Amino acid sequence: MRALDAIGHALAVAGSMTWEITWSLILGFTLSAVVQAVIRRQTIVRLLGDDRPKTLARATGLGAASSSCSYAAVALARALFRRGASFTAAMTFEIASTNLVIELGIIMALLLSWQFTLAEFVGGPIMIVLVAVAFRLFVRRKLIEAARQQADRGLAGSMEGHAAMDMSIQAEGSFRRRLLSREGYTSVSHIFVMEWAAVIRDVVIGLLIAGAVGAWVPDTFWQHLFLTGHPLAAKLWGPLIGPVISVLSFVCSIGNVPLAAVLWNGGISFGGVIAFIFADLIIIPILIIYRKYYGTRMMLTILGIFYVAMVLAGYAVEFAFGGLGLIPAERAAKVAEAGITWNYTTILNIVFLLLAAALLVRFFRSGGRAMLTMMNGSPDGHH
């Protein structure tokens, strides 16, 4: 009986967080789908041919307008690399497409606070600069060429078919005319549903893990782990331990934000939360994919450079935001609410669920079902 109560408590916490973030996820994915619908894939490849600062800035912007699914972002980065993008630009695109996307910012503001969203969008470019500098200083051309040869083997990872699909609007004309056309509606619906299909597993797993951790793990455990009794040590320790927890949780993309909320309430430092969020690109399943894509040496190189960069980015936001007085004084992340009530969250959920239903109907009426079966298809497939 006690075990059932514990499971019920965990599910209630997960359900509460799900209800709190539903409208924001739909809004974020809709905006992302609109942007992706008007940016053609060949345009992205053409703009990322070298590792100059201007090119990396483009890669950051294009990545931020792209997918929020870590697996799809990793697969797309390899596709860009194979088609002529520089390796550094592909990695920059990958980082931005999982850590600087609209939906991530909205959900962080909703569950944590706007300060975390701001820190994410400040820390992300810092991490990108650090990664670019590290690749230029420490990664030799011979290693990149070996990675390219391995990439050209086309070994399958995850979400390959999704990464190969270009669902952007092909018609010519102004942004408004293309978007409001019949083809625009279809394109937005296809991208919206496919993005949801790509991340739904991580979102559900993340919510269940966050619910279980929030319900079952006592506060004293987190307080000891995060050294909350020693303020300076906690600030230094948080960005170091945050990515490690992320790697071991196996949750990536938006799915790790609910767990980040639990960790923040448990006592991890502000910079530790940001480093934890960044680490969605070095979880164990993705490291295995890196090894398939680029070989063992490059996988270890990516792991080392990414980890150091996310730790340093965590320190940067910790001390910068602390100095500016922007770190929230209270640890009041929305982990568990009393229940569903008639408030703005309920109204927004109804409105955006109706929007999602309209896009879902359009998706299936325009041949979308076949696309779902191709999501994990050949990395060399096209749609």
Side-chain angles (χ1 to χ4, degrees):
M1 196 65 183
R2 186 174 296 176
L4 290 177
D5 289 341
I7 293 173
H9 185 198
L11 291 175
V13 172
S16 175
M17 284 189 286
T18 302
W19 182 251
E20 192 70 29
I21 66 176
T22 296
W23 71 267
S24 63
L25 282 175
I26 297 172
L27 171 60
F29 281 119
T30 302
L31 294 175
S32 177
V34 168
V35 173
Q36 291 184 65
V38 296
I39 299 178
R40 298 189 178 103
R41 185 68 52 81
Q42 60 265 33
T43 302
I44 298 176
V45 176
R46 179 170 51 83
L47 295 174
L48 305 184
D50 54 60
D51 60 356
R52 294 178 300 169
K54 184 177 180 179
T55 302
L56 298 184
R58 287 198 202 105
T60 300
L62 292 168
S66 186
S67 171
S68 61
C69 170
S70 301
Y71 292 101
V74 170
L76 181 51
R78 180 181 66 164
L80 295 175
F81 179 50
R82 292 179 67 190
R83 295 176 194 175
S86 79
F87 190 78
T88 304
M91 292 297 101
T92 297
F93 180 93
E94 177 182 299
I95 295 169
S97 65
T98 60
N99 291 300
L100 296 177
V101 289
I102 299 168
E103 51 270 35
L104 178 67
I106 295 174
I107 193 175
M108 288 183 72
L110 202 60
L111 285 186
L112 289 155
S113 71
W114 64 268
Q115 291 95 325
F116 285 93
T117 300
L118 180 60
E120 182 77 8
F121 284 87
V122 170
I126 292 174
M127 180 180 171
I128 286 170
V129 170
L130 292 171
V131 167
V133 172
F135 271 110
R136 174 159 292 196
L137 293 178
F138 303 115
V139 179
R140 299 290 175 258
R141 181 168 297 277
K142 183 178 179 181
L143 179 57
I144 292 178
E145 287 306 314
R148 188 181 297 278
Q149 292 177 12
Q150 179 68 18
D152 286 338
R153 294 178 62 192
L155 299 181
S158 180
M159 295 295 167
E160 298 285 358
H162 181 47
M165 296 175 189
D166 186 354
M167 295 171 279
S168 61
I169 304 167
Q170 299 303 310
E172 299 297 331
S174 67
F175 172 88
R176 183 173 179 274
R177 184 173 181 178
R178 293 166 63 203
L179 190 60
L180 296 180
S181 67
R182 187 179 183 87
E183 183 188 355
Y185 183 23
T186 300
S187 179
V188 170
S189 72
H190 283 192
I191 297 170
F192 175 84
V193 176
M194 295 298 288
E195 290 291 294
W196 264 105
V199 303
I200 190 65
R201 175 186 61 184
D202 285 303
V203 171
V204 171
I205 293 174
L207 286 165
L208 291 175
I209 291 176
V213 170
W216 299 342
V217 179
D219 291 340
T220 52
F221 172 82
W222 298 122
Q223 289 165 4
H224 287 301
L225 178 63
F226 298 137
L227 308 178
T228 56
H230 308 276
L232 179 58
K235 292 178 181 179
L236 296 175
W237 177 239
L240 290 170
I241 191 64
V244 175
I245 297 173
S246 183
V247 169
L248 297 178
S249 74
F250 279 60
V251 181
C252 63
S253 190
I254 294 175
N256 61 7
V257 178
L259 182 54
V262 173
L263 298 180
W264 172 246
N265 284 350
I268 195 172
S269 69
F270 185 79
V273 171
I274 301 303
F276 171 85
I277 297 291
F278 286 154
D280 62 339
L281 288 173
I282 57 170
I283 63 172
I284 292 174
I286 286 182
L287 291 177
I288 294 172
I289 292 173
Y290 285 145
R291 185 174 179 273
K292 286 183 179 180
Y293 283 0
Y294 309 120
T296 301
R297 285 186 61 202
M298 184 57 88
M299 178 271 287
L300 294 174
T301 300
I302 293 172
L303 171 61
I305 289 176
F306 277 23
Y307 177 77
V308 172
M310 63 188 58
V311 169
L312 293 178
Y315 285 146
V317 298
E318 175 71 46
F319 292 105
F321 278 58
L324 294 171
L326 292 176
I327 296 178
E330 297 182 1
R331 295 179 179 272
K334 294 181 180 179
V335 173
E337 299 290 332
I340 297 175
T341 58
W342 186 256
N343 54 20
Y344 81 94
T345 299
T346 301
I347 295 171
L348 289 172
N349 279 343
I350 292 172
V351 170
F352 281 99
L353 283 169
L354 289 173
L355 171 62
L359 292 171
L360 196 63
V361 169
R362 181 63 179 174
F363 174 81
F364 284 107
R365 285 184 174 177
S366 56
R369 188 184 302 276
M371 297 175 67
L372 289 174
T373 64
M374 297 169 60
M375 287 190 68
N376 283 300
S378 167
D380 296 311
H382 297 277
H383 183 78

Coordinates of all heavy atoms in Angstrom, one line a residue, residues 8-61:
G8 N 1.8 6.8 -6.8 CA 0.8 7.8 -7.0 C 1.2 9.2 -6.8 O 0.9 10.1 -7.6
H9 N 2.1 9.4 -5.8 CA 2.6 10.8 -5.5 C 3.5 11.2 -6.6 O 3.4 12.3 -7.1 CB 3.4 10.7 -4.2 CG 3.9 12.1 -3.8 ND1 4.9 12.3 -2.8 CD2 3.5 13.3 -4.2 CE1 5.1 13.5 -2.7 NE2 4.3 14.2 -3.5
A10 N 4.4 10.3 -7.1 CA 5.3 10.6 -8.2 C 4.5 10.9 -9.5 O 4.9 11.9 -10.2 CB 6.2 9.4 -8.4
L11 N 3.5 10.2 -9.8 CA 2.7 10.4 -11.0 C 1.9 11.7 -10.9 O 1.8 12.5 -11.8 CB 1.7 9.3 -11.2 CG 2.3 7.9 -11.6 CD1 1.3 6.8 -11.7 CD2 3.1 8.1 -13.0
A12 N 1.5 12.1 -9.6 CA 0.8 13.3 -9.4 C 1.7 14.5 -9.7 O 1.3 15.5 -10.3 CB 0.2 13.4 -8.0
V13 N 3.0 14.4 -9.2 CA 3.9 15.5 -9.4 C 4.2 15.6 -10.9 O 4.2 16.7 -11.5 CB 5.2 15.2 -8.7 CG1 6.3 16.2 -9.0 CG2 5.0 15.3 -7.1
A14 N 4.4 14.5 -11.6 CA 4.7 14.5 -13.1 C 3.5 15.1 -13.8 O 3.6 15.9 -14.7 CB 5.0 13.1 -13.6
G15 N 2.3 14.7 -13.4 CA 1.1 15.2 -14.1 C 0.9 16.7 -13.9 O 0.5 17.4 -14.8
S16 N 1.2 17.2 -12.7 CA 1.1 18.6 -12.4 C 2.1 19.4 -13.3 O 1.7 20.4 -13.8 CB 1.4 18.8 -10.9 OG 1.5 20.2 -10.6
M17 N 3.3 18.9 -13.4 CA 4.2 19.6 -14.3 C 3.8 19.6 -15.7 O 4.0 20.5 -16.5 CB 5.6 19.0 -14.1 CG 6.3 19.4 -12.8 SD 8.1 18.9 -12.8 CE 7.9 17.2 -12.5
T18 N 3.2 18.4 -16.1 CA 2.8 18.3 -17.5 C 1.7 19.3 -17.8 O 1.7 20.0 -18.9 CB 2.2 16.9 -17.8 OG1 3.2 15.9 -17.5 CG2 1.7 16.7 -19.2
W19 N 0.7 19.5 -16.9 CA -0.3 20.4 -17.1 C 0.2 21.9 -17.1 O -0.3 22.7 -17.9 CB -1.4 20.3 -16.0 CG -2.6 21.2 -16.1 CD1 -2.9 22.3 -15.4 CD2 -3.6 21.1 -17.1 NE1 -4.0 22.9 -15.8 CE2 -4.5 22.2 -16.9 CE3 -3.9 20.2 -18.2 CZ2 -5.6 22.4 -17.6 CZ3 -5.0 20.4 -18.9 CH2 -5.9 21.5 -18.7
E20 N 1.2 22.1 -16.3 CA 1.8 23.5 -16.2 C 2.5 23.9 -17.5 O 2.5 25.1 -17.9 CB 2.8 23.5 -15.1 CG 3.2 24.9 -14.7 CD 2.1 25.7 -14.0 OE1 1.2 25.2 -13.4 OE2 2.1 27.0 -14.2
I21 N 3.0 22.9 -18.3 CA 3.9 23.3 -19.4 C 3.3 23.0 -20.8 O 3.8 23.3 -21.8 CB 5.2 22.6 -19.3 CG1 5.1 21.0 -19.5 CG2 6.0 22.9 -18.1 CD1 6.3 20.3 -19.6
T22 N 2.1 22.4 -20.8 CA 1.5 22.0 -22.1 C 1.3 23.1 -23.1 O 1.8 23.0 -24.2 CB 0.1 21.3 -21.8 OG1 0.3 20.1 -21.0 CG2 -0.6 20.9 -23.1
W23 N 0.7 24.2 -22.7 CA 0.5 25.3 -23.6 C 1.8 25.9 -24.1 O 1.9 26.2 -25.3 CB -0.4 26.4 -23.0 CG 0.3 27.2 -21.9 CD1 0.3 27.0 -20.6 CD2 1.1 28.4 -22.1 NE1 1.0 27.9 -19.9 CE2 1.6 28.8 -20.9 CE3 1.5 29.1 -23.3 CZ2 2.4 29.9 -20.7 CZ3 2.3 30.2 -23.1 CH2 2.7 30.6 -21.8
S24 N 2.8 25.9 -23.2 CA 4.1 26.5 -23.6 C 4.8 25.7 -24.6 O 5.5 26.2 -25.6 CB 5.0 26.8 -22.4 OG 5.3 25.6 -21.8
L25 N 4.7 24.3 -24.5 CA 5.3 23.4 -25.5 C 4.7 23.6 -26.8 O 5.3 23.7 -27.9 CB 5.2 22.0 -25.0 CG 6.2 21.6 -23.9 CD1 5.9 20.1 -23.5 CD2 7.6 21.6 -24.4
I26 N 3.3 23.7 -26.9 CA 2.6 23.8 -28.1 C 3.0 25.1 -28.8 O 3.2 25.2 -30.0 CB 1.1 23.7 -27.9 CG1 0.7 22.3 -27.4 CG2 0.4 24.0 -29.2 CD1 -0.7 22.1 -27.0
L27 N 3.0 26.2 -28.0 CA 3.4 27.5 -28.6 C 4.8 27.5 -29.1 O 5.1 27.9 -30.2 CB 3.3 28.6 -27.5 CG 3.8 30.0 -27.8 CD1 3.1 30.6 -29.0 CD2 3.7 30.9 -26.6
G28 N 5.7 26.9 -28.3 CA 7.1 26.9 -28.8 C 7.3 26.1 -30.0 O 8.0 26.5 -31.0
F29 N 6.7 24.9 -30.1 CA 6.8 24.1 -31.3 C 6.1 24.7 -32.5 O 6.6 24.5 -33.7 CB 6.3 22.7 -31.1 CG 7.2 21.8 -30.3 CD1 6.9 21.3 -29.1 CD2 8.5 21.5 -30.8 CE1 7.7 20.5 -28.4 CE2 9.3 20.7 -30.1 CZ 9.0 20.2 -28.9
T30 N 5.0 25.5 -32.3 CA 4.4 26.1 -33.4 C 5.2 27.2 -34.0 O 5.4 27.3 -35.2 CB 3.0 26.7 -32.9 OG1 2.2 25.7 -32.4 CG2 2.3 27.4 -34.1
L31 N 5.8 28.1 -33.1 CA 6.7 29.1 -33.6 C 7.9 28.5 -34.3 O 8.4 29.0 -35.3 CB 7.2 30.0 -32.4 CG 6.1 30.8 -31.7 CD1 6.6 31.5 -30.5 CD2 5.5 31.8 -32.7
S32 N 8.5 27.5 -33.7 CA 9.6 26.8 -34.4 C 9.3 26.2 -35.7 O 10.0 26.3 -36.7 CB 10.1 25.7 -33.4 OG 11.2 25.0 -34.1
A33 N 8.1 25.7 -35.8 CA 7.6 25.1 -37.1 C 7.5 26.2 -38.2 O 7.8 26.0 -39.3 CB 6.3 24.4 -36.9
V34 N 6.9 27.4 -37.8 CA 6.8 28.5 -38.7 C 8.1 28.9 -39.2 O 8.3 29.1 -40.4 CB 6.1 29.7 -38.0 CG1 6.2 30.9 -38.8 CG2 4.6 29.3 -37.7
V35 N 9.1 29.0 -38.4 CA 10.5 29.5 -38.8 C 11.1 28.4 -39.7 O 11.6 28.7 -40.8 CB 11.4 29.7 -37.6 CG1 12.8 30.0 -38.0 CG2 10.8 30.9 -36.7
Q36 N 11.0 27.1 -39.3 CA 11.6 26.1 -40.1 C 10.9 26.0 -41.5 O 11.5 25.6 -42.5 CB 11.5 24.8 -39.4 CG 12.4 24.7 -38.2 CD 12.4 23.3 -37.5 OE1 12.8 22.3 -38.2 NE2 11.9 23.2 -36.3
A37 N 9.6 26.3 -41.5 CA 8.9 26.2 -42.8 C 9.4 27.1 -43.9 O 9.3 26.9 -45.0 CB 7.4 26.4 -42.5
V38 N 10.0 28.3 -43.5 CA 10.4 29.3 -44.4 C 11.9 29.3 -44.7 O 12.4 30.0 -45.5 CB 10.0 30.7 -44.0 CG1 8.4 30.8 -44.0 CG2 10.5 31.1 -42.7
I39 N 12.7 28.4 -43.9 CA 14.1 28.3 -44.1 C 14.4 27.0 -44.8 O 14.2 25.9 -44.2 CB 14.9 28.4 -42.8 CG1 14.6 29.8 -42.1 CG2 16.4 28.3 -43.0 CD1 15.3 29.9 -40.7
R40 N 14.9 27.1 -46.0 CA 15.2 25.9 -46.8 C 16.5 25.2 -46.3 O 17.5 25.9 -46.0 CB 15.3 26.2 -48.3 CG 13.9 26.7 -48.8 CD 13.9 26.8 -50.3 NE 12.6 27.3 -50.8 CZ 12.4 28.5 -51.2 NH1 13.4 29.4 -51.2 NH2 11.2 28.8 -51.7
R41 N 16.6 23.9 -46.3 CA 17.7 23.2 -45.9 C 19.0 23.5 -46.7 O 20.1 23.6 -46.2 CB 17.4 21.6 -46.0 CG 18.5 20.7 -45.4 CD 18.7 20.9 -43.9 NE 17.4 20.7 -43.2 CZ 16.9 19.5 -42.9 NH1 17.4 18.4 -43.2 NH2 15.7 19.5 -42.2
Q42 N 18.8 23.6 -48.0 CA 20.0 23.9 -48.9 C 20.6 25.3 -48.5 O 21.8 25.5 -48.7 CB 19.7 23.8 -50.3 CG 18.6 24.8 -50.8 CD 17.2 24.1 -50.8 OE1 16.9 23.3 -50.0 NE2 16.4 24.5 -51.8
T43 N 19.8 26.2 -48.0 CA 20.3 27.5 -47.6 C 21.2 27.4 -46.4 O 22.2 28.0 -46.3 CB 19.1 28.4 -47.3 OG1 18.3 28.6 -48.4 CG2 19.6 29.8 -46.8
I44 N 20.8 26.5 -45.5 CA 21.6 26.3 -44.3 C 23.0 25.7 -44.7 O 24.0 26.2 -44.2 CB 20.9 25.3 -43.3 CG1 19.6 25.9 -42.9 CG2 21.8 25.0 -42.1 CD1 18.8 25.0 -42.0
V45 N 23.0 24.7 -45.5 CA 24.3 24.1 -45.9 C 25.2 25.1 -46.6 O 26.4 25.2 -46.3 CB 24.0 22.9 -46.9 CG1 25.3 22.3 -47.4 CG2 23.2 21.8 -46.2
R46 N 24.6 25.9 -47.5 CA 25.4 26.9 -48.2 C 26.1 27.9 -47.3 O 27.1 28.4 -47.7 CB 24.5 27.6 -49.3 CG 25.1 28.7 -50.1 CD 24.2 29.1 -51.2 NE 22.9 29.5 -50.8 CZ 22.6 30.7 -50.2 NH1 23.5 31.6 -50.1 NH2 21.4 30.9 -49.8
L47 N 25.5 28.2 -46.2 CA 26.0 29.3 -45.3 C 27.0 28.8 -44.3 O 27.5 29.7 -43.5 CB 24.8 30.0 -44.6 CG 23.8 30.7 -45.5 CD1 22.6 31.2 -44.7 CD2 24.5 31.9 -46.2
L48 N 27.2 27.5 -44.2 CA 28.1 27.0 -43.1 C 29.3 26.3 -43.6 O 29.8 25.4 -43.0 CB 27.2 26.0 -42.3 CG 25.9 26.5 -41.7 CD1 25.3 25.5 -40.8 CD2 26.1 27.8 -40.9
G49 N 30.0 26.9 -44.6 CA 31.1 26.2 -45.2 C 32.4 26.4 -44.6 O 33.4 25.8 -44.9
D50 N 32.6 27.3 -43.6 CA 33.8 27.5 -42.9 C 33.6 27.8 -41.4 O 32.5 27.7 -40.9 CB 34.6 28.6 -43.5 CG 33.8 29.9 -43.6 OD1 33.4 30.4 -42.5 OD2 33.5 30.4 -44.7
D51 N 34.7 28.1 -40.7 CA 34.5 28.3 -39.2 C 34.9 29.8 -38.8 O 35.3 30.0 -37.7 CB 35.4 27.3 -38.5 CG 36.9 27.5 -38.8 OD1 37.2 28.3 -39.7 OD2 37.7 26.8 -38.2
R52 N 34.7 30.7 -39.8 CA 34.9 32.1 -39.4 C 33.8 32.6 -38.4 O 32.7 32.0 -38.4 CB 34.8 33.0 -40.7 CG 35.9 32.7 -41.7 CD 35.7 33.6 -42.9 NE 34.5 33.3 -43.6 CZ 33.9 34.1 -44.5 NH1 34.6 35.2 -44.9 NH2 32.8 33.8 -45.1
P53 N 34.1 33.6 -37.6 CA 33.1 34.1 -36.6 C 31.7 34.4 -37.3 O 30.7 34.1 -36.7 CB 33.8 35.3 -36.1 CG 35.2 35.1 -36.2 CD 35.4 34.3 -37.5
K54 N 31.7 35.0 -38.4 CA 30.5 35.4 -39.1 C 29.7 34.1 -39.4 O 28.5 34.0 -39.3 CB 30.8 36.2 -40.4 CG 29.5 36.7 -41.1 CD 29.9 37.5 -42.3 CE 28.6 38.0 -43.0 NZ 29.0 38.9 -44.2
T55 N 30.4 33.1 -39.9 CA 29.7 31.8 -40.2 C 29.2 31.1 -39.0 O 28.0 30.6 -39.0 CB 30.7 30.9 -40.9 OG1 31.2 31.5 -42.1 CG2 30.0 29.5 -41.3
L56 N 29.9 31.2 -37.9 CA 29.5 30.5 -36.7 C 28.3 31.3 -36.1 O 27.4 30.7 -35.5 CB 30.6 30.5 -35.6 CG 31.8 29.6 -36.1 CD1 32.8 29.5 -34.9 CD2 31.4 28.2 -36.5
A57 N 28.2 32.6 -36.3 CA 27.1 33.4 -35.9 C 25.9 33.0 -36.7 O 24.7 32.8 -36.1 CB 27.4 34.9 -36.1
R58 N 26.0 32.7 -38.0 CA 24.9 32.2 -38.8 C 24.5 30.9 -38.3 O 23.3 30.6 -38.2 CB 25.4 32.1 -40.3 CG 25.5 33.4 -41.0 CD 25.5 33.1 -42.5 NE 26.1 34.2 -43.3 CZ 27.3 34.1 -43.8 NH1 28.0 33.0 -43.7 NH2 27.8 35.1 -44.5
A59 N 25.5 30.0 -38.0 CA 25.1 28.6 -37.5 C 24.3 28.7 -36.2 O 23.4 27.9 -36.0 CB 26.4 27.8 -37.3
T60 N 24.7 29.7 -35.4 CA 23.9 29.8 -34.1 C 22.5 30.2 -34.4 O 21.6 29.7 -33.8 CB 24.7 30.9 -33.2 OG1 26.0 30.4 -33.0 CG2 23.9 31.1 -31.9
G61 N 22.3 31.2 -35.3 CA 21.0 31.7 -35.6 C 20.1 30.6 -36.2 O 19.0 30.4 -35.9

